[in-house]
Amino acid sequence: MKQLIFILSFLFTTVAFGADIFDKDGIPTKPNPPRLVNDFTNIIPDGEEAQIEKYLEELALSSKTRVVVITTPTLNNYDKAQFAYEVGERWGVGEKGFDNGVVMLVKPKEVDGKGSTFIATGYGLEGIIPDAIAKRIVEQEMIPRFKQQDYVGGIAAGLQVVSDLALKEYPASAYAQKSKKKTRVKGIGGGIIFIIFIIFAILSRINRARHYSMGSGTSIWTALFLANAMRGSSGGSWSDFSSGSGGFGGFGGGSFGGGGAGGDW
């Protein structure tokens, strides 16, 4: 019954809003005023959508990285990669000259039985989030949750890794090592990388919690708990999380050259 309600709600949203969101070429029209979370399929509850928006605003202020999340009911005969690049280019996601934009695209599978997702990176982030790493994020953090219709959890898990890499809280090589499905880490070098990853991850959580606690008036331990809960989200609410963001000022004109990776389910 829950799944049926979800599908009916999704279909209603698609019919009601689908025709209004696309331009003549079949690409979603740039929002005005600009938003970082653009849920055109209504798969993200309002409370969570607002909190993800705040989270990405904070990331934009902290790292100057512009990450846009967009959900769409259809790819309009585009390849998922090309659809994401077109959004990035036409919306100008990122800053001109820095090309530091990311487009996280999600097309749920409830309409045609095929779900698709893609993380497109601007020129300036291709070295920080290499294609192979984007592929791991999609396949190991996002799609497993999407298969359970946990779209919020999948998006949250993907965004957490993207933001950590953008903030340089640990190198891409450390995430690659950590995310390997093998249960044993081979070699001394791999073990050192894994240990470095753990140390950076712990320190980054503490630093981020300290920042949030100062902005919200909560204790550092409460803020740390909320940050960790957000990282491990699998359908839970972010409604108690506050980023203390100063607001998103808009897109600057970033360019995309084919970086990123995606997958289907």
Side-chain angles (χ1 to χ4, degrees):
M1 179 61 71
K2 181 179 180 181
Q3 183 177 11
L4 178 60
I5 293 174
F6 179 90
I7 293 174
L8 290 175
S9 175
F10 180 87
L11 290 172
F12 174 79
T13 302
T14 301
V15 172
F17 302 106
D20 297 330
I21 67 174
F22 301 110
D23 62 20
K24 61 182 179 62
D25 297 322
I27 299 299
T29 304
K30 181 179 179 179
N32 185 22
R35 298 187 304 273
L36 293 170
V37 181
N38 301 269
D39 181 22
F40 297 127
T41 59
N42 200 30
I43 59 173
I44 306 174
D46 292 345
E48 280 82 351
E49 182 175 345
Q51 295 305 318
I52 297 173
E53 181 81 21
K54 290 181 181 179
Y55 179 76
L56 294 181
E57 288 174 2
E58 179 66 28
L59 176 64
L61 293 172
S62 301
S63 69
K64 303 305 180 183
T65 300
R66 306 299 198 254
V67 180
V68 166
V69 174
I70 178 170
T71 73
T72 178
T74 176
L75 297 178
N76 285 325
N77 296 319
Y78 284 90
D79 174 80
K80 56 183 176 292
Q82 187 60 37
F83 192 96
Y85 298 143
E86 290 291 338
V87 170
E89 287 282 348
R90 298 188 187 202
W91 292 16
V93 178
E95 293 180 297
K96 188 174 183 179
F98 294 95
D99 301 325
N100 49 1
V102 175
V103 174
M104 178 179 287
L105 169 71
V106 178
K107 188 199 81 65
K109 67 180 296 182
E110 280 67 31
V111 171
D112 58 8
K114 180 181 179 181
S116 298
T117 186
F118 196 90
I119 296 176
T121 55
Y123 284 113
L125 289 174
E126 291 179 4
I128 296 174
I129 308 175
D131 294 354
I133 296 301
K135 188 69 171 177
R136 285 181 180 271
I137 295 172
V138 166
E139 292 183 344
Q140 298 189 27
E141 311 292 347
M142 300 173 67
I143 289 181
R145 292 173 170 88
F146 291 164
K147 287 181 177 179
Q148 304 299 318
Q149 292 188 341
D150 179 13
Y151 290 107
V152 173
I155 291 170
L159 288 177
Q160 185 65 68
V161 179
V162 168
S163 65
D164 284 353
L165 294 174
L167 291 168
K168 299 181 179 179
E169 295 184 349
Y170 46 78
S173 58
Y175 173 71
Q177 185 65 41
K178 182 254 183 184
S179 63
K180 285 182 178 178
K181 293 184 178 180
K182 296 179 181 178
T183 57
R184 298 177 64 183
V185 178
K186 297 181 179 180
I188 296 177
I192 292 175
I193 291 176
F194 183 75
I195 292 173
I196 292 174
F197 176 90
I198 295 299
I199 292 174
F200 273 122
I202 293 174
L203 291 177
S204 69
R205 295 295 162 268
I206 293 175
N207 288 336
R208 185 172 295 177
R210 182 180 293 112
H211 175 74
Y212 291 145
S213 66
M214 291 174 63
S216 63
T218 61
S219 72
I220 186 172
W221 301 114
T222 300
L224 181 61
F225 171 78
L226 292 172
N228 286 335
M230 180 184 66
R231 178 177 177 82
S233 173
S234 59
S237 173
W238 288 9
S239 59
D240 293 329
F241 182 84
S242 176
S243 69
S245 168
F248 172 56
F251 305 112
S255 296
F256 290 73
D264 303 307
W265 72 96

